Amino acid sequence: MDIKINNQIENVSRRSFLKGLGVTSGALVLGGVMPSSMPVFAMTQEMQYKLNLFVTINTDNSIDIICHRSEMGQGVRTCLPQIVADELEADWQKVNVVQGLANNEYGNQNTDGSSSVRDFYDTLRQMGASAKQMLEQAAAETWKVPVSEVKAQDHLVKHQSGKTLSYGDLAETAARITPPKVEALKLKNKADFKYIGKPLTSVDLPDVLAGTTEFGQDVNRPNMVIATIERAPVLGAKVKQFNADKAKAVKGVVDVIKIDGTDGAPAFNPLEGIAVLATNTYAAQKAQKLLEIEWQLTDNKNHHSAEYLQQRKAMVQQQGKVHRTTGDVNKAFSQYKNQVNATYTVPYLAHAPMEPPAATAEYRADGTCEVWACVQAPQRTRDVVAARLGIEKDKVTVNTTLLGGAFGRKSKPDFVAEAALLAKAAKRPVKVIWSREEDIQFDYVHAISAQHYQAAFDDKKQVKAWLARTSFPTIGSTFDGVAKEPQTWETQLGFADVPFAIENLQCEVCEAPHHLRIGWVRSVGNIQHGFGVGSFVDEMAHQVGQDPKQMWLDLYADDRLVDVNQGGYKYGNYWSDIKKYPIETKRFKNVVELVTERAGWGRKLPKGQGLGLSVHRSFLSYIAVVTQVEVKNDTVKVQKMWCVADCGIISNIDRVEAQMEGSMIFGMSIALLSKLTAKDGKIEQSNFHDYELVRMNQSPQMDIHIVESDAPPAGVGEPGVPPVSASITNAIFAACGKRIRDLPVKGQLNIA
Amino acid sequence: MLTVNINNQNYQVDVEPDTPLLWVIRDVLAMTGTKYGCGKGLCGACTVHFNGSPTRACSIPVSAAIGQQITTIEGIEDNLLIAPSAKAIKQAWINENVPQCGYCQSGQIMAAVALLKENQSPSDQDIDNAMTGNLCRCGTYPRIKQAIKTAAKA
């Protein structure tokens, strides 16, 4: 689906995309995914010299480094350029970060799957090293000395005689040099890193403090109007008829325009709706309430999530379709009578980024369209906008603003297509703003789910069998409109990839038709599977009277690389090579040992307090979490959380710690508070009073530890989330003996 | 035409009197540091100072702001009454590298500055009380709490 950048650095100069970068020079550019290279001589324009796709050196000695991925709080606008800058031997104070436009030359810009650093670490180092070597070559040519006598360091190239030239001085000459082949690049040793791994401060911090950041909601264009949209209340519903007379009478309203929904799978298309365009948001929202619309509903109007969840719970008691199997679980369950089983549920969840979706579009008389939007997937946005407008992709320019949170919501560009359609119809720039209510009610929701687990033990209390079933509406349904059961790639998200040494093991999926737009929320299926697996291991421990920590360690067993491809199962390993990123029990056990040591696992706690442990590998990272809770008068208070994360090589220790802190809070909201319900096909919640998130007074003490590792870089943004919920509910069980099997905890216990 | 005073400057705006102050600031005056998050006073992203008190701009009509002093994130360092607190808070925000996505941070900073102006050594409980109305989906709470303590010591 998406193109992965390869490791070839090639010359892609004189291609049309340079215009898209705002640089008209035909200077030298290195690309990731282009055909064979061809030396090109730079044209010296605009005082800028492009050394490659990511690096432009200015004659004032500053350097522009492209960030081609979307900043949504994970820190990529700092973490990616700092990798380039390190290999480039650039002075970070002289680096400007430039946000890349939608452009296939960058490779995959789709900022999800916790993939920015892990997929681009090598490429970005090469881009920095390549530019540095070109600068060294330029200095050698200028001085007419062998390149072996010069060395780039601290934004200068130095000759062994002591003379120096700045990068700015060398830019023009360097831009004329053929970039070195990848094999000729000399990358730095870890010991020499100046920036990689270091806690550099976010490049956007000054703007945040001054209030001058530009998010999707903040875009302002000349002659722009603001649009709000009354959307189909039930998935697939169409407008039968509508009357906009009252809406049009509101002061400030300039137009009312119908957006046609599409038939079939929702994909990234706008929902059918009636848009009100006005000179300010309030006028549009006020008029929107006065629209009189008669809807033609679909059968989705019969969807009630409470009833639906009961059906899923019943479904997972029955045999499903086998995904992974080894040994003979049925035989084992008839042989070993010491058994435990449990069923777990997780409700629909919303992304609820603090910035609701917003997009601005201009459709111009020459048939081109430019958009400014908070999107995770700029190339996809371009493609969806082009398709909906019926124009060529190269007629669409996508400017990625800062994203005020995203968590997967903003990888679906339906809201940008809305803006583009309205801009074309209104013949002026339009900013579409989603209200919080619309964000909650028309989301691409995280799937509602039920899981069932069963385990058997022999007389020595050894685990002999593991049976797992999961049922949730698949993300696939959003794209094909028909898929009715979890897909293989979804069972790889912490369910069928369990790394346990159990001789009889089977993982099955059970049907679950869709009635809403199903999307992906931070850590995706790992949300429910982390809860299910993490809870059940704890239940198994209690069943046989064992310490839960020991149960986890016993399940991992000896140090080994785990092969989960059993019974025909085809494991995708987060789209990464299993040889580069094997499933290693040693790393699981290491994070368990570290987190339990830091938390003082096993220590005596006052009555009513308890510790809970859970462990999860996702996006190639290994995370263990211990939570301490107090349960008093049926009220639970999360007191402290310890998190140990092994994410391989990291780009910025401070941002990795920040992601883990944020993951603890995000996971706490899921565990304790958040729940979407549907009645008559409509989401019942509407804002933060009924879709609750953790607040400051609930935020616990935290101890975050990042394992120092030389393993290849793994995911950071998502993998902290999955182990959180079970660590909390396991702690609740330890504190008061109450086993929580249905999230959120609220409704079963009070939340302090 | 209505006249509002924002960051010590008068602006004349042509909107309905019931228009929330937030949309006047953002849409009419194009000062976008004050963010929209919920429209119901539930998240704090739009916090401004209304005669010195932290107030949700989404929940007061512009008519109520006539003749009052409104301060936004863009103006806190120029307002002599709060400039010392604002500077201390901003420096602490840098020291702790607080923001993630940054969207809620204007509101967080406005609430924190108001707290620090009134209470130079806030306890954890004081911080919770002052900041619980400000949501952060990224989960920067531990750092916000630490930064407020750092600023208080400065």
Side-chain angles (χ1 to χ4, degrees):
Chain A
M1 187 160 72
D2 287 299
I3 305 160
K4 293 273 180 189
I5 200 159
N6 65 26
N7 289 330
Q8 295 302 308
I9 294 184
E10 293 161 38
N11 183 334
V12 292
S13 290
R14 288 187 172 160
R15 297 184 60 86
S16 58
F17 78 88
L18 280 172
K19 283 185 288 184
L21 290 169
V23 176
T24 52
S25 157
L28 202 55
V29 172
L30 301 182
V33 286
M34 292 307 299
S36 61
S37 77
M38 179 181 69
V40 168
F41 292 100
M43 290 173 227
T44 57
Q45 286 185 41
E46 304 203 342
M47 316 296 274
Q48 286 191 316
Y49 301 95
K50 299 187 66 63
L51 299 198
N52 62 47
L53 191 52
F54 286 84
V55 178
T56 299
I57 302 198
N58 305 307
T59 45
D60 70 358
N61 208 24
S62 66
I63 296 186
D64 295 346
I65 298 179
I66 291 280
C67 175
H68 66 304
R69 312 275 287 186
S70 300
E71 177 62 69
M72 46 196 180
Q74 82 284 43
V76 278
R77 279 171 50 84
T78 307
C79 298
L80 297 185
Q82 81 185 76
I83 296 169
V84 179
D86 200 332
E87 290 290 351
L88 180 54
E89 281 293 332
D91 176 351
W92 185 247
Q93 300 307 319
K94 297 189 177 79
V95 169
N96 311 307
V97 176
V98 177
Q99 189 67 35
L101 299 174
N103 192 319
N104 289 11
E105 306 293 346
Y106 294 126
N108 189 344
Q109 289 182 274
N110 184 9
T111 314
D112 59 24
S114 297
S115 56
S116 291
V117 173
R118 70 175 162 110
D119 281 358
F120 289 93
Y121 181 73
D122 293 338
T123 302
L124 294 173
R125 289 184 71 189
Q126 288 165 3
M127 291 290 172
S130 175
K132 182 188 78 173
Q133 287 177 221
M134 290 160 76
L135 289 158
E136 288 176 334
Q137 181 72 35
E141 286 178 14
T142 304
W143 290 322
K144 299 193 170 41
V145 299
V147 74
S148 59
E149 292 181 7
V150 308
K151 186 172 168 52
Q153 204 170 18
D154 300 331
H155 226 84
L156 294 168
V157 181
K158 298 174 182 170
H159 182 246
Q160 58 189 30
S161 66
K163 61 186 169 185
T164 63
L165 283 168
S166 76
Y167 282 6
D169 295 336
L170 291 165
E172 183 178 353
T173 310
R176 293 181 176 154
I177 288 170
T178 307
K181 290 200 162 67
V182 171
E183 306 79 63
L185 296 177
K186 294 186 276 290
L187 299 181
K188 291 170 76 168
N189 293 317
K190 182 181 173 186
D192 298 325
F193 285 166
K194 277 188 197 145
Y195 304 133
I196 295 173
K198 305 297 189 290
L200 301 191
T201 303
S202 164
V203 295
D204 295 310
L205 185 52
D207 283 333
V208 171
L209 298 177
T212 50
T213 45
E214 187 175 69
F215 293 89
Q217 289 268 352
D218 299 333
V219 173
N220 198 355
R221 302 291 304 166
N223 199 32
M224 181 181 87
V225 288
I226 290 173
T228 68
I229 303 170
E230 186 70 19
R231 296 179 184 80
V234 163
L235 184 60
K238 295 287 174 65
V239 174
K240 248 201 246 176
Q241 53 183 353
F242 74 101
N243 183 332
D245 292 349
K246 288 179 193 158
K248 283 179 176 168
V250 173
K251 182 178 171 181
V253 171
V254 299
D255 210 347
V256 172
I257 297 170
K258 177 168 179 279
I259 292 181
D260 293 330
T262 45
D263 293 321
F268 301 120
N269 294 307
L271 297 170
E272 179 130 326
I274 305 294
V276 177
L277 283 61
T279 51
N280 70 73
T281 307
Y282 182 62
Q285 290 179 341
K286 199 172 173 182
Q288 184 187 337
K289 293 196 185 83
L290 298 173
L291 289 169
E292 295 165 318
I293 308 174
E294 193 184 339
W295 293 98
Q296 178 67 52
L297 302 179
T298 62
D299 286 346
N300 290 320
K301 71 179 183 221
N302 300 318
H303 178 52
H304 313 298
S305 55
E307 194 175 280
Y308 181 90
L309 193 56
Q310 290 309 314
Q311 292 163 359
R312 301 282 76 69
K313 283 178 81 167
M315 188 76 84
V316 294
Q317 310 307 315
Q318 311 294 323
Q319 163 127 31
K321 182 171 154 188
V322 175
H323 273 211
R324 175 185 169 197
T325 187
T326 186
D328 186 338
V329 286
N330 291 331
K331 193 173 155 201
F333 284 123
S334 61
Q335 187 178 350
Y336 303 104
K337 291 301 168 197
N338 185 1
Q339 295 180 15
V340 59
N341 69 78
T343 301
Y344 305 96
T345 68
V346 178
Y348 285 124
L349 298 167
H351 299 84
M354 289 311 300
E355 178 200 33
T360 302
E362 282 183 26
Y363 185 86
R364 305 200 172 106
D366 62 0
T368 63
C369 183
E370 183 162 5
V371 301
W372 296 260
C374 46
V375 288
Q376 288 174 253
Q379 294 171 25
R380 172 185 299 152
T381 301
R382 175 200 61 200
D383 298 352
V384 169
V385 166
R388 289 309 315 263
L389 293 178
I391 60 178
E392 296 297 319
K393 290 177 187 180
D394 63 4
K395 298 271 193 281
V396 179
T397 304
V398 177
N399 301 275
T400 304
T401 65
L402 292 175
L403 284 57
F407 314 112
R409 172 62 185 93
K410 292 168 183 173
S411 56
K412 293 91 174 172
D414 57 325
F415 58 100
V416 191
E418 290 174 341
L421 288 167
L422 293 173
K424 186 180 179 186
K427 299 189 174 62
R428 64 193 292 184
V430 174
K431 174 160 73 174
V432 166
I433 286 179
W434 284 48
S435 67
R436 176 59 58 198
E437 288 79 4
E438 291 155 0
D439 172 61
I440 299 283
Q441 299 191 323
F442 300 102
D443 196 4
Y444 287 79
V445 294
H446 176 79
I448 191 170
S449 64
Q451 299 163 74
H452 185 74
Y453 293 85
Q454 187 177 354
F457 305 85
D458 66 11
D459 296 341
K460 293 175 192 148
K461 299 179 180 178
Q462 296 298 301
V463 184
K464 302 303 286 186
W466 169 282
L467 173 66
R469 298 194 186 107
T470 188
S471 173
F472 55 89
T474 169
I475 290 167
S477 67
T478 298
F479 300 99
D480 71 6
V482 293
K484 281 194 172 43
E485 60 185 31
Q487 310 289 293
T488 301
W489 74 269
E490 292 172 305
T491 61
Q492 300 181 358
L493 305 176
F495 176 74
D497 55 342
V498 288
F500 304 147
I502 302 174
E503 56 195 89
N504 304 291
L505 180 149
Q506 187 157 300
C507 306
E508 305 171 5
V509 300
C510 302
E511 268 194 11
H514 78 283
H515 299 286
L516 298 170
R517 300 197 290 185
I518 305 299
W520 47 98
V521 173
R522 192 179 194 176
S523 84
V524 204
N526 290 293
I527 289 175
Q528 65 264 30
H529 299 142
F531 174 59
V533 171
S535 297
F536 193 61
V537 170
D538 204 71
E539 296 213 43
M540 288 164 65
H542 290 290
Q543 172 73 17
V544 294
Q546 197 182 46
D547 175 14
K549 173 192 168 185
Q550 195 57 47
M551 177 60 77
W552 284 101
L553 294 175
D554 287 352
L555 287 168
Y556 298 132
D558 52 328
D559 290 355
R560 65 205 160 89
L561 304 185
V562 181
D563 178 9
V564 301
N565 288 327
Q566 294 172 317
Y569 192 60
K570 297 245 184 310
Y571 184 52
N573 202 33
Y574 297 88
W575 311 277
S576 294
D577 184 359
I578 192 79
K579 291 197 189 75
K580 187 176 176 188
Y581 291 99
I583 303 174
E584 299 176 77
T585 56
K586 191 177 174 181
R587 293 173 78 185
F588 275 109
K589 290 188 288 182
N590 184 48
V591 293
V592 169
E593 292 291 357
L594 286 170
V595 81
T596 50
E597 188 188 329
R598 296 177 80 88
W601 184 262
R603 71 191 144 93
K604 184 127 181 69
L605 289 165
K607 191 169 182 299
Q609 295 184 12
L611 294 175
L613 166 67
S614 192
V615 195
H616 200 82
R617 173 187 184 268
S618 64
F619 304 92
L620 315 170
S621 287
Y622 302 73
I623 320 279
V625 175
V626 169
T627 297
Q628 180 174 329
V629 304
E630 181 175 61
V631 183
K632 225 196 278 180
N633 304 324
D634 286 334
T635 301
V636 59
K637 169 84 182 165
V638 175
Q639 299 175 304
K640 185 161 181 179
M641 302 180 85
W642 293 261
C643 168
V644 171
D646 177 355
C647 309
I649 293 167
I650 55 171
S651 170
N652 182 320
I653 181 74
D654 179 70
R655 290 300 86 190
V656 177
E657 288 170 354
Q659 281 305 292
M660 293 306 146
E661 291 162 15
S663 294
M664 298 303 105
I665 300 290
F666 201 93
M668 272 182 73
S669 289
I670 292 169
L672 298 175
L673 296 169
S674 303
K675 180 181 188 174
L676 285 180
T677 55
K679 190 154 188 293
D680 301 325
K682 300 175 197 174
I683 296 297
E684 295 183 287
Q685 291 69 28
S686 63
N687 209 315
F688 294 128
H689 65 290
D690 53 9
Y691 192 76
E692 291 184 77
L693 304 173
V694 163
R695 293 175 177 273
M696 174 67 90
N697 62 325
Q698 296 159 326
S699 175
Q701 290 180 45
M702 280 188 204
D703 176 279
I704 308 285
H705 175 71
I706 310 301
V707 175
E708 194 176 336
S709 171
D710 291 324
V716 169
E718 295 168 273
V721 173
V724 172
S725 56
S727 80
I728 293 172
T729 52
N730 293 343
I732 290 171
F733 183 81
C736 70
K738 185 175 177 66
R739 178 60 66 181
I740 302 288
R741 299 194 179 91
D742 304 285
L743 294 186
V745 176
K746 187 173 178 173
Q748 300 160 77
L749 290 169
N750 303 313
I751 312 300
Chain B
M1 284 287 183
L2 307 173
T3 303
V4 289
N5 184 290
I6 295 171
N7 299 330
N8 216 17
Q9 188 170 338
N10 282 329
Y11 296 92
Q12 292 213 316
V13 295
D14 180 21
V15 293
E16 294 288 307
D18 64 343
T19 305
L21 179 61
L22 171 67
W23 299 116
V24 174
I25 293 171
R26 287 183 55 80
D27 292 348
V28 182
L29 304 178
M31 296 167 67
T32 53
T34 306
K35 304 300 184 189
Y36 165 70
C38 71
K40 296 279 191 328
L42 300 166
C43 79
C46 66
T47 303
V48 298
H49 291 186
F50 187 93
N51 295 334
S53 297
T55 302
R56 312 305 184 210
C58 72
S59 301
I60 46 169
V62 64
S63 56
I66 296 166
Q68 314 301 316
Q69 297 290 322
I70 309 297
T71 307
T72 69
I73 184 79
E74 290 92 343
I76 48 174
E77 285 193 79
D78 298 328
N79 181 328
L80 296 179
L81 291 174
I82 54 171
S85 297
K87 286 189 175 117
I89 286 290
K90 286 188 180 186
Q91 187 55 51
W93 245 245
I94 294 167
N95 294 347
E96 304 300 331
N97 211 359
V98 170
Q100 290 188 27
C101 83
Y103 192 80
C104 74
Q105 297 290 324
S106 299
Q108 304 279 3
I109 290 168
M110 296 306 284
V113 168
L115 167 65
L116 207 60
K117 190 188 64 167
E118 298 298 324
N119 181 348
Q120 274 86 49
S121 55
S123 65
D124 281 6
Q125 187 64 51
D126 295 335
I127 294 171
D128 283 352
N129 291 344
M131 304 303 293
T132 285
N134 288 76
L135 276 175
C136 173
R137 183 63 153 151
C138 296
T140 62
Y141 302 127
R143 294 196 188 208
I144 290 173
K145 189 171 273 187
Q146 187 55 48
I148 292 172
K149 290 179 185 173
T150 305
K153 283 193 204 118

